[in-house]
Amino acid sequence: MRSLLDPNKKTAGLDVALGLAPRLQHRMFSCVSCFWVLLSACLVAVCSFSFLSPSWIVKSASADGQEPVSFGLLWHCSESLEQISSCYTFGGLARFNDIPSSSWQTSAVLCSGGFALLVISCLLAIVTLFLRNGLCQRRLCTLAGYMQTAAVFIMASGLLVYPFGLNSTTVKKYCEDSSIYYAGDCQIGWGYMLAIVGVMLSVFLPFFAKYAPKEHPTPTPIPTIL
């Protein structure tokens, strides 16, 4: 009973209620933001590995002695009869026209642009971990979320456009009866499938970006004064 009537305790309660007492420091980052950053970094690694892979369209060695070949987004690999494998890029600024199909050129531009947005949004997500709770942090999370949404749509469009290139003359030379969305004698490689998985998982990034900002501290309830 004496502690309830202590004037010092009453004064401290009023100070907290009126906001005069210093507030406790909140945590530097939340679990959602950490998971968002980790997932963003992992998907950047997955997409970069798949986009640089030469195994999007694969042709195994045939019985008639035809050499195995593989096509990627920017790479072409072939293996001679002496089991010597050689790969070269038909992309880049100087050799962009060497890509054997206009559809593959469009896919390369879309996938590269979407991947660039994904990388920038990942860097913004890392920056938000070290910002204090406030308007700046929420704006960066929102901006990163929008960039990740755009990256998903752009990369998905690039992956949908890529199979149109199976109808090109160069691909038909190796895959024979190939046509749009039909690989003919060739097969869909692990690089293209990995790119699809990476883009599908990237769909969840904007949702985590929405809840990544740290929560505001709950207001301190006004103590009952007896």
Side-chain angles (χ1 to χ4, degrees):
M1 190 68 182
R2 180 180 179 183
S3 61
L4 294 176
L5 299 178
D6 190 356
N8 295 328
K9 187 173 182 179
K10 290 183 179 180
T11 305
L14 283 175
D15 290 342
V16 172
L18 296 176
L20 300 178
R23 296 181 178 181
L24 296 176
Q25 296 291 331
H26 14 187
R27 292 176 297 176
M28 179 68 71
F29 42 81
S30 63
C31 295
V32 176
S33 61
C34 290
F35 183 77
W36 176 47
V37 172
L38 181 61
L39 183 61
S40 300
C42 291
L43 291 178
V44 166
V46 168
C47 290
S48 62
F49 189 63
S50 61
F51 290 162
L52 294 177
S53 168
S55 300
W56 283 38
I57 304 295
V58 180
K59 171 67 180 295
S60 302
S62 59
D64 56 359
Q66 190 174 7
E67 61 184 18
V69 296
S70 61
F71 295 95
L73 186 66
L74 299 173
W75 289 86
H76 168 62
C77 293
S78 61
E79 186 174 316
S80 63
L81 297 177
E82 292 80 11
Q83 303 296 322
I84 300 176
S85 179
S86 61
C87 296
Y88 69 92
T89 175
F90 43 52
L93 297 177
R95 305 183 60 183
F96 187 76
N97 292 328
D98 293 344
I99 298 179
S101 171
S102 59
S103 300
W104 284 7
Q105 293 176 0
T106 305
S107 178
V109 172
L110 291 175
C111 290
S112 300
F115 178 70
L117 288 177
L118 193 65
V119 172
I120 296 174
S121 64
C122 180
L123 295 177
L124 291 178
I126 295 175
V127 171
T128 58
L129 285 179
F130 304 98
L131 294 178
R132 302 188 65 179
N133 189 10
L135 182 61
C136 182
Q137 185 202 41
R138 292 195 298 272
R139 284 182 175 178
L140 278 183
C141 290
T142 303
L143 177 60
Y146 285 144
M147 294 179 69
Q148 289 171 343
T149 303
V152 169
F153 280 105
I154 293 174
M155 290 189 296
S157 301
L159 295 180
L160 291 175
V161 170
Y162 186 82
F164 282 85
L166 295 173
N167 198 30
S168 64
T169 305
T170 304
V171 179
K172 282 187 174 182
K173 176 183 176 182
Y174 298 98
C175 301
E176 296 182 4
D177 298 330
S178 63
S179 60
I180 298 176
Y181 279 90
Y182 178 67
D185 293 339
C186 297
Q187 297 177 346
I188 303 299
W190 61 266
Y192 186 70
M193 299 303 297
L194 184 62
I196 293 177
V197 173
V199 172
M200 290 178 62
L201 292 177
S202 299
V203 173
F204 297 99
L205 292 178
F207 296 98
F208 288 111
K210 181 179 179 182
Y211 300 101
K214 296 182 283 288
E215 297 181 357
H216 293 283
T218 55
T220 305
I222 300 177
T224 303
I225 302 176
L226 297 178

